[in-house]
Amino acid sequence: MSKVLLILHVLAAVIAIGPVTVAASMFPAAARRAFIEPGSGLSVLRALNRICRVYAVVGIAVPFFGLATAGSMRVFGDAWVLVSIVLTAAAAGVLALLVLPGQNAILAALDAEPPSEPVTAGRVAMYTGMFNLLWAVVTVLMIVRPDRPQAREW
């Protein structure tokens, strides 16, 4: 059962978190282009924002399967799992409280007449980088498992 849960956890991460990281990373550059040439790229920005919002909801499956996997593998109390849980919650917070509202502010500014770039445009790129970095660290922790004894490599 542990292997099935682990497979579901990894698949959920690849399918849900991957699109969010890519779409969120593409958003700031597309926003800059849209501010330079008003009216161009607005549909692309809306699509990227929608991808981020939809896959953020789908991404709830990742910690759900992760907690189930940790429980079935009896590693729930291991430091790498606890740190991963905290970092996953932080990544979710960055996405929900900083990235998505920043994207929404940019879309609202582009819809205004005349379009005006909000102060948050540069920050969205930074928040997206923070979100991506948190997921990268979680991924490394899942692979390395620092406090688990490692088998000898020959």
Side-chain angles (χ1 to χ4, degrees), residues 51-123:
I51 290 167
C52 291
R53 287 183 290 116
V54 169
Y55 282 96
V57 173
V58 174
I60 294 170
V62 176
F64 173 78
F65 286 125
L67 293 172
T69 302
S72 72
M73 294 173 68
R74 293 181 169 80
V75 294
F76 194 75
D78 288 4
W80 65 273
V81 173
L82 299 174
V83 170
S84 294
I85 291 169
V86 170
L87 294 178
T88 297
V94 167
L95 181 63
L97 301 174
L98 300 172
V99 174
L100 293 174
Q103 289 180 354
N104 292 337
I106 289 170
L107 289 171
L110 284 167
D111 282 335
E113 278 300 324
S116 61
E117 185 171 1
V119 177
T120 60
R123 292 181 187 162

Side-chain angles (χ1 to χ4, degrees), residues 12-13 19 25 37 39 44-45 52 65 68 91 99 105 115 118 125-127 132 135-136 148 153:
S25 295
E37 299 174 28
V44 171
L45 285 173
C52 291
F65 286 125
V99 174
M126 178 184 67
Y127 298 147
N132 293 343
W135 275 114
R148 303 287 288 176
E153 292 188 32

Side-chain angles (χ1 to χ4, degrees), residues 80 84 133-146:
W80 65 273
S84 294
L133 180 62
L134 288 166
W135 275 114
V137 172
V138 169
T139 302
V140 169
L141 287 173
M142 295 287 137
I143 294 168
V144 175
R145 302 185 203 180

Side-chain angles (χ1 to χ4, degrees), residues 27 41-51 53 107 111:
F27 191 94
L42 192 54
S43 61
V44 171
L45 285 173
R46 286 190 176 115
L48 292 171
N49 177 256
R50 182 170 172 81
I51 290 167
R53 287 183 290 116
L107 289 171
D111 282 335

